[in-house]
């Protein structure tokens, strides 16, 4: 009996782009992307339609820090706005992924095209995230420099664990994906698309066709869930560093979960089992996608285990 062919949105974690968090060189990222391409192409080879999403935390932070550092030495050099840095990171991460995946497809004689799409994601400017920015980005500054940036540029700056002051931006929820019709057309035609990179470039809709970029970071797992909803995907696969989601993580009572119902997921979230900066957004994004329509499934696992996860052999599955 043949496997069911699924439409899958694959959300790549940071470790899929940078094997060593301290090594942020572009050359190293390309090497890591070539390893990442193999399990992705495994899924394509099985006949699944694959849409790829990815984070951009370290990359966008590095771009911003580079501009900030350069402008400190040269006051006439303008700092690149945040949405533009997001677009730049989408471009170069997409370029690495499409090079790596294309090469892997060629090796296996799979004749498919792949492209990264610069993707804008609509957010609501009334989103409570804008009232309380929490996402640290860019360089560390002294208190004196931070005060100056707050006055001059209107930034929100916060003291970061005794290491200095950093800019913080909002993390609003995604409302819509502007280029979704294009993604759908390409996927329907059999192409592989890389989209909502870094959660998408956050924009607010000003009406009359005008979109305005805003300084914010959309969680890439939520953005992946949103594009999966719009494209009516069968699966949202959120890739992380571990094979399964666990409760009582890192304690003697740790228990890995094979399958979670919506009710159980809500209960575990309520009980505080998942760390806010890491597993919590993944479980919440998976939950949101599964709740959006009956029959949808979300899988949280590691990149290497994605193929086995779809076959039901490993990973943590959420279903309605």
């Amino acid at each position: 009996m043949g496997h069911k062919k699924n439409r899958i949105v694959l959300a790549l974690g940071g470790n899929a782009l940078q094997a060593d968090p301290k090594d942020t060189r572009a050359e190293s990222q390309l090497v890591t992307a070539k390893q990442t391409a193999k399990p992705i192409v495994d899924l394509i080879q099985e006949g699944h339609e694959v849409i790829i999403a990815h984070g951009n935390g370290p990359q966008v932070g590095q771009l911003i820090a580079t501009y900030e550092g350069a402008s400190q030495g040269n006051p006439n050099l303008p700092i690149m706005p945040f949405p533009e840095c997001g677009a730049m990171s989408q471009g170069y991460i997409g370029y690495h992924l499409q090079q790596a995946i294309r090469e892997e497809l060629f090796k296996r004689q799979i004749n498919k095209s792949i492209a990264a799409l610069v993707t804008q994601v609509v957010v609501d400017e009334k989103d409570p995230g804008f009232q309380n920015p929490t996402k640290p980005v860019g360089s560390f500054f002294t208190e004196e420099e931070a005060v100056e940036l707050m006055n001059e540029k209107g930034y929100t700056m916060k003291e970061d664990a005794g290491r200095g002051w950093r800019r913080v931006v909002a993390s609003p929820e995604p409302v819509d994906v502007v280029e979704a019709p294009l993604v759908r057309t390409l996927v329907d035609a059999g192409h592989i698309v890389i989209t909502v990179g870094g959660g998408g470039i956050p924009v607010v809709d000003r009406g009359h066709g005008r979109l305005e970029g805003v300084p914010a970071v959309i969680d890439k797992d939520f953005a992946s869930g949103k594009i999966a909803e719009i494209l009516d995907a069968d699966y949202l696969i959120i890739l992380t560093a571990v094979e399964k989601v666990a409760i009582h993580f890192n304690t003697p009572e740790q228990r890995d979960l094979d399958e979670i119902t919506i009710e159980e997921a809500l209960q575990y979230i309520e009980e505080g089992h998942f760390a806010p900066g890491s597993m919590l957004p993944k479980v919440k994004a998976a939950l949101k996608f599964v709740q959006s329509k009956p029959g949808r499934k979300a899988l949280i696992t590691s990149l290497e285990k994605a193929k086995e996860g779809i076959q039901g052999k490993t990973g943590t599955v959420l279903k309605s």
Side-chain angles (χ1 to χ4, degrees), residues 17-175:
L17 297 168
Q18 290 182 337
D20 175 1
K22 290 186 197 71
D23 186 355
T24 56
R25 291 172 307 146
E27 296 83 353
S28 309
Q29 181 174 291
L30 184 56
V31 171
T32 308
K34 290 190 178 186
Q35 291 310 307
T36 294
K38 291 172 185 163
I40 295 174
V41 176
D42 283 346
L43 294 174
I44 295 162
Q45 198 163 19
E46 298 261 295
H48 300 299
E49 289 181 332
V50 178
I51 298 103
I52 298 154
H54 61 81
N56 70 346
Q59 296 85 352
V60 80
Q62 195 185 6
L63 283 168
I64 288 164
T66 303
Y67 276 106
E68 286 171 344
S71 72
Q72 277 175 313
N74 177 1
N76 300 323
L77 188 78
I79 287 184
M80 187 65 66
F82 200 88
E84 279 73 0
C85 286
M88 285 170 143
S89 72
Q90 274 192 6
Y92 98 78
I93 295 168
Y95 153 67
H96 282 169
L97 285 171
Q98 64 193 26
Q99 269 208 341
I101 293 166
R102 185 174 189 269
E103 194 176 315
E104 192 61 34
L105 290 165
F106 186 81
K107 276 183 195 164
R108 303 193 201 186
Q109 298 175 322
I110 300 170
N111 185 18
K112 276 185 179 289
S113 297
I114 177 161
L117 199 59
V118 174
T119 314
Q120 304 172 88
V121 173
V122 178
V123 297
D124 180 356
E125 62 181 333
K126 295 187 182 71
D127 188 295
F130 285 108
Q131 264 41 92
N132 179 30
T134 52
K135 203 90 176 150
V137 291
S139 319
F140 289 95
F141 294 92
T142 63
E143 187 169 357
E144 196 180 9
E145 290 166 333
V147 169
E148 203 174 301
L149 282 167
M150 288 195 269
N151 293 335
E152 274 183 24
K153 304 240 185 261
Y155 288 0
T156 305
M157 307 288 288
K158 284 187 183 170
E159 207 274 332
D160 190 330
R163 295 181 296 175
W165 288 69
R166 282 177 94 185
R167 182 182 181 188
V168 287
V169 296
S171 188
E173 297 249 338
V175 175

Side-chain angles (χ1 to χ4, degrees), residues 208-230:
H208 310 289
R210 192 164 76 84
L211 298 170
E212 188 183 317
V214 288
V217 173
I218 301 165
D219 184 282
K220 65 110 172 91
D221 297 314
F222 285 118
S224 305
K226 179 54 74 180
I227 191 77
E229 257 180 65
I230 296 169

Side-chain angles (χ1 to χ4, degrees), residues 184-205:
R184 183 190 295 279
T185 301
L186 291 166
V187 173
D188 286 348
H191 304 298
I192 304 155
V193 185
I194 302 160
T195 183
V196 297
I201 304 160
V203 294
V204 292
D205 190 344

